[in-house]
Amino acid sequence: MERFGPFDDAFLIEPKRFGDERGWFEEVWNESRFQSLVGVSPRFVQDNASRSKAAGTVRGLHFQSPPMAQAKLVRCPRGAIYDVIVDIRHGSPTFGQWAGATLTEENGRQLWVPRGFAHGFATMAPDSEIAYKVDNPYSAEHDGGIFWNDPAIGIRWPFDTDAAVTSAKDRNAPRLAELPELFRHAS
């Protein structure tokens, strides 16, 4: 486990795998181990999954606003994704900064995304799947996002962004500068 990017409360976790001639075994969630590594013990209430057909598919950058804000534990059980978070907590010393990591079925990495971060990913292989746990249920009323390729944020996506496959919702999301103050950094 390591801190993720410049953020004190986001973590990249690499669960231990035990392999033999049959394949491998991995424990993807253990509450007490997570508590000892990250310092929080979330109560997950919903598991989500998506599959994207084409490499270069972008989903995000999404978040849920308070009081339905969500923390997420993200992994890629099939294929490969480039997973990205952006700090959208006003008053944070890292406001508007981003970090990205490659999550694949081979490396087994997981990303802990705290509340107050926008999250998105791009598929790096066809038929990639993402699975994630959240600590608050989905709320359409609190669903939000920022434009995935906002030049003010400057995410360096690992593919030709002109060929990205996106939804209309994600293409028309507001820029970071247009986002109201939804999250405040706890100083």
Side-chain angles (χ1 to χ4, degrees), residues 101-133:
T102 301
L103 308 183
T104 70
E105 63 184 297
E106 286 84 19
N107 68 27
R109 290 174 165 174
Q110 298 179 21
L111 180 60
W112 170 247
V113 183
R115 294 176 180 195
F117 285 76
H119 170 256
F121 64 91
T123 58
M124 298 172 62
D127 296 315
S128 290
E129 295 178 5
I130 182 174
Y132 58 101
K133 298 177 171 306

Side-chain angles (χ1 to χ4, degrees), residues 6-119:
F7 313 117
D8 288 338
D9 43 2
F11 295 90
L12 190 60
I13 302 162
E14 196 161 335
K16 292 181 183 176
R17 283 192 174 167
F18 304 93
D20 61 23
E21 65 280 354
R22 300 168 296 168
W24 54 264
F25 169 84
E26 161 181 288
E27 189 175 76
V28 296
W29 168 248
N30 179 306
E31 183 179 19
S32 62
R33 185 167 183 269
F34 191 85
Q35 166 70 36
S36 70
L37 292 172
V38 177
V40 297
S41 187
R43 180 180 163 266
F44 292 122
V45 299
Q46 186 173 313
D47 280 356
N48 300 318
S50 71
R51 184 174 184 185
S52 298
K53 293 178 184 179
T57 299
V58 177
R59 296 180 188 252
L61 301 161
H62 302 148
F63 61 87
Q64 275 193 186
S65 60
M68 299 302 292
Q70 293 177 326
K72 301 175 182 177
L73 182 61
V74 181
R75 65 190 189 92
C76 178
R78 180 178 178 175
I81 64 170
Y82 188 67
D83 211 25
V84 173
I85 62 173
V86 178
D87 187 349
I88 57 172
R89 302 168 299 173
H90 286 264
S92 168
T94 56
F95 177 79
Q97 293 183 33
W98 69 276
T102 301
L103 308 183
T104 70
E105 63 184 297
E106 286 84 19
N107 68 27
R109 290 174 165 174
Q110 298 179 21
L111 180 60
W112 170 247
V113 183
R115 294 176 180 195
F117 285 76
H119 170 256

